Amino acid sequence: MRVTQGMLNNNMLRNVSQSYNQMDKYMDQLSTGKKINRPSDDPVVAMRGVSHRESLAKVEQFERNISEVNSWMDNSDATMNEAGNALHKVRELVIQASNDTYEESQRENISKEVSQLRDHLKELANTKVNNKYIFNGSNTTEPRFNEDGTLNVPNPGDAPNNQPVNIEVSEGVRLQANVNPNEVFSQDMFDDLDDLVAKLEDENATPKELDSFISDMDQHSQNLVNERADLGARMNRVEMVEDRLGQQNVSVSKLMSDNEDADIEEVIMNLKMQESVHRASLGAGARIMQPSLLDFLR
């Protein structure tokens, strides 16, 4: 086959163009740190990348949900601890008031202190975290108790909202974030406190009548302890789920990196080699270019 000058020129231009394309590819990899920058570069890698990103997005969403659950649980636990201390203080005051040596004025002072503790417990029952009431079941937009201390229900006599707040923390796994408010801040507890305040203000109240409130406070404290224990068990489970999500995050991130991230050292070496080939190609091309009229005139 006869090889013409035009064929040599065309081949040289095609090879130089391919060399430019290769250098452009390596430059893209260096500047972005990615093996591919468009799906057409490698459809298989691109499809795997989409799948890995979906998995990572799910894990990250579950981690955000875990943070929400932790916020609910930590604040619930702290509030119940404070409520338990308040009930313990009420019990101590009842024991003091039931002592025959206490005068009426002293019982009146105790009554005022118990009244303040009762109001404090109602404030705790209406604890609001992240703009949500955490002790009113699934109705997180309204407080558990009204300002006058009555239960906040649509109609008098209606049962309060004690529904659980479940948050998805893993694929198909939902955990209860709140506690049963009826076991922590029940209407019975506040009724007993109201009765106690009234009895302390009654000058005819006997020590035996006051003693009966001790067992009531003990029962409310025990209900609170039981609910705290249940919450503690769920907090342990949340911690284990959080650890597993952290491991999944690392694992999926590594898969995504292995699939998409470029080996920078290898890319630099390839680019250097391609530059050498390109310069050699340009040098060889300059030699085979058809001499011009000026070359003959030299």
Side-chain angles (χ1 to χ4, degrees):
M1 183 180 71
R2 179 173 176 272
V3 179
T4 64
Q5 183 67 41
M7 292 168 66
L8 290 175
N9 291 346
N10 290 335
N11 283 336
M12 183 202 72
L13 290 174
R14 185 177 66 254
N15 291 330
V16 169
S17 177
Q18 290 176 350
S19 179
Y20 273 125
N21 287 336
Q22 282 297 103
M23 284 197 295
D24 179 58
K25 172 186 169 185
Y26 294 137
M27 287 299 294
D28 280 348
Q29 291 179 348
L30 274 180
S31 58
T32 63
K34 299 293 181 183
K35 290 179 184 175
I36 63 171
N37 292 286
R38 55 189 72 84
S40 57
D41 290 344
D42 191 330
V44 175
V45 171
M47 288 180 64
R48 285 178 184 165
V50 171
S51 176
H52 293 327
R53 277 188 171 75
E54 288 179 354
S55 299
L56 186 60
K58 281 185 180 178
V59 171
E60 290 175 343
Q61 180 58 56
F62 289 141
E63 287 179 328
R64 287 192 288 273
N65 291 353
I66 283 282
S67 297
E68 177 76 9
V69 172
N70 279 329
S71 175
W72 275 75
M73 290 184 168
D74 290 344
N75 283 285
S76 298
D77 188 53
T79 304
M80 287 194 290
N81 180 54
E82 199 171 340
N85 293 336
L87 286 174
H88 182 69
K89 181 64 177 175
V90 171
R91 188 182 190 278
E92 289 180 348
L93 291 172
V94 173
I95 293 174
Q96 290 178 22
S98 62
N99 192 328
D100 282 337
T101 60
Y102 272 61
E103 300 174 354
E104 183 182 345
S105 60
Q106 291 175 308
R107 284 187 179 177
E108 193 173 322
N109 291 333
I110 291 175
S111 169
K112 291 177 181 175
E113 189 168 354
V114 171
S115 179
Q116 289 298 317
L117 289 169
R118 177 197 58 194
D119 293 344
H120 181 58
L121 285 167
K122 285 181 180 174
E123 290 174 8
L124 293 177
N126 287 339
T127 297
K128 198 174 184 181
V129 177
N130 293 333
N131 211 29
K132 294 177 182 174
Y133 293 97
I134 62 175
F135 292 109
N136 196 27
S138 58
N139 183 8
T140 59
T141 58
E142 296 180 299
R144 181 77 172 176
F145 290 92
N146 297 312
E147 290 184 0
D148 60 0
T150 59
L151 274 172
N152 183 17
V153 290
N155 300 301
D158 286 355
N161 190 323
N162 298 320
Q163 296 298 313
V165 174
N166 294 318
I167 297 177
E168 188 173 16
V169 296
S170 186
E171 195 77 38
V173 178
R174 303 175 72 87
L175 288 182
Q176 182 179 345
N178 65 338
V179 298
N180 185 347
N182 200 45
E183 297 294 329
V184 183
F185 299 109
S186 66
Q187 184 62 57
D188 288 344
M189 182 179 77
F190 290 108
D191 289 344
D192 288 340
L193 288 170
D194 289 339
D195 293 342
L196 174 59
V197 171
K199 192 62 70 177
L200 288 169
E201 293 173 349
D202 183 0
E203 59 183 13
N204 297 320
T206 63
K208 187 177 180 181
E209 290 175 325
L210 292 172
D211 271 344
S212 64
F213 287 98
I214 295 177
S215 60
D216 293 336
M217 294 303 111
D218 287 343
Q219 183 59 52
H220 296 311
S221 295
Q222 187 59 48
N223 292 341
L224 195 146
V225 168
N226 293 340
E227 198 61 30
R228 257 192 109 181
D230 178 66
L231 177 66
R234 280 185 280 131
M235 289 173 80
N236 290 337
R237 187 180 174 190
V238 168
E239 190 174 338
M240 288 188 286
V241 173
E242 190 173 14
D243 288 343
R244 192 173 75 241
L245 286 174
Q247 293 170 1
Q248 288 179 349
N249 191 322
V250 172
S251 176
V252 175
S253 297
K254 184 176 184 304
L255 278 175
M256 198 164 71
S257 175
D258 292 342
N259 183 62
E260 298 178 1
D261 291 350
D263 184 343
I264 300 301
E265 292 81 1
E266 182 182 357
V267 174
I268 292 174
M269 290 297 296
N270 290 335
L271 180 60
K272 286 295 182 185
M273 288 175 61
Q274 192 61 43
E275 285 177 349
S276 299
V277 171
H278 186 73
R279 277 196 291 270
S281 176
L282 290 177
R287 291 176 182 274
I288 64 172
M289 290 291 288
Q290 190 171 19
S292 66
L293 179 60
L294 289 176
D295 293 323
F296 288 108
L297 295 177
R298 286 175 183 171

